[in-house]
Amino acid sequence: VRRFVVIGQKARGDGDFLLVDIPSTSGRLDSLLSALRACLLVSHGVRRDTVLYLVLLGDPERPRCVRITGSAARYLRPDERSLAVTVQKALRAPAQRGQFGEVRPGIATLDGGLEQVLPELQGSQLFLLEPGAPDIRDSDLSAPDATFLLGDHVGLPDALRSAWLALGARALSVGPVALHTADAITLVANELDRRAAG
Ligand SMILES: C[S@@+](CC[C@H](N)C(=O)[O-])C[C@H]1O[C@@H](n2cnc3c(N)ncnc32)[C@H](O)[C@@H]1O
């Protein structure tokens, strides 16, 4: 299983944003929607081996997470508006503290932040994506279950980055230039695809 965790430092977790102006009303959820497309959607299909966790920290009092599971998700379309509607509906449904609840096939939410996601990541090899780290091309990616953590347009909170490394995560870069989150995900997925293809 490939897992991606994207931290949205400003992203609203209440689903209360305008579809006609997603960037400025949602705390840049648009960058997380691009990450969703890059992570799970390929030409004519969904990556069945991939799970994405969006961690929405816009309201520090009430972090929320959305989990999209490629093996179960249905009717995911690649356009931003359609993905925004899917995420908005999920966020508007009631969620439990610390436990994912499915709101439709393959889409689940919980009340809580990265800490509440950790039980799902037990046994997964953890990686941190950041520019300047050792090159992914020289790295062992053979773990059958791997989780890649990325930041949004403002990067990762220091405390969360340190906590992730303290869990044993290995830092990787996808090249010398700082990219948008979705583009970094595409390069990780491509590297994994190439290795899987032998
Ligand atoms: C737009 S970048 C963050 C830029 C932010 N200003 C910073 O300095 O951290 C978004 C995320 O994509 C990932 N990323 C971007 N470029 C990368 C690279 N060359 N190698 C690895 N990860 C990268 C990182 O996880 C980063 O937090």
Side-chain angles (χ1 to χ4, degrees):
V1 185
R2 305 174 180 183
R3 301 173 197 271
F4 291 85
V5 181
V6 180
I7 307 294
Q9 292 208 56
K10 309 280 176 209
R12 295 184 73 126
D14 55 9
D16 212 0
F17 58 84
L18 297 175
L19 292 171
V20 291
D21 187 5
I22 298 168
S24 53
T25 61
S26 68
R28 292 300 314 275
L29 198 67
D30 58 303
S31 77
L32 302 196
L33 298 172
S34 302
L36 197 173
R37 192 195 55 71
C39 199
L40 281 154
L41 298 179
V42 289
S43 182
H44 303 300
V46 174
R47 288 186 183 274
R48 299 282 165 207
D49 61 351
T50 301
V51 182
L52 170 65
Y53 303 87
L54 299 176
V55 181
L56 315 178
L57 301 180
D59 178 354
E61 303 292 308
R62 198 181 170 214
R64 309 263 332 259
C65 295
V66 183
R67 183 186 68 196
I68 303 106
T69 305
S71 59
R74 303 278 174 272
Y75 315 117
L76 281 182
R77 298 216 317 257
D79 63 286
E80 184 188 69
R81 186 187 163 87
S82 154
L83 294 175
V85 169
T86 299
V87 170
Q88 187 170 55
K89 282 186 182 159
L91 290 172
R92 285 183 170 164
Q96 293 179 57
R97 174 87 202 151
Q99 196 178 342
F100 277 109
E102 271 216 332
V103 295
R104 58 175 258 202
I107 316 271
T109 59
L110 65 69
D111 275 343
L114 181 61
E115 214 169 302
Q116 274 69 44
V117 175
L118 293 181
E120 300 219 345
L121 307 181
Q122 274 184 15
S124 187
Q125 171 69 57
L126 306 183
F127 295 98
L128 171 69
L129 267 290
E130 61 182 11
D135 196 324
I136 192 168
R137 293 191 176 174
D138 304 324
S139 304
D140 177 6
L141 301 176
S142 60
D145 191 320
T147 302
F148 301 88
L149 178 72
L150 299 99
D152 62 0
H153 60 294
V154 284
L156 281 176
D158 285 342
L160 201 149
R161 178 182 177 279
S162 308
W164 191 249
L165 289 172
L167 290 170
R170 284 191 257 150
L172 296 178
S173 100
V174 289
V177 176
L179 305 170
H180 291 297
T181 308
D183 298 332
I185 289 175
T186 299
L187 291 175
V188 173
N190 179 257
E191 195 64 31
L192 292 167
D193 291 345
R194 286 169 178 273
R195 295 190 193 193

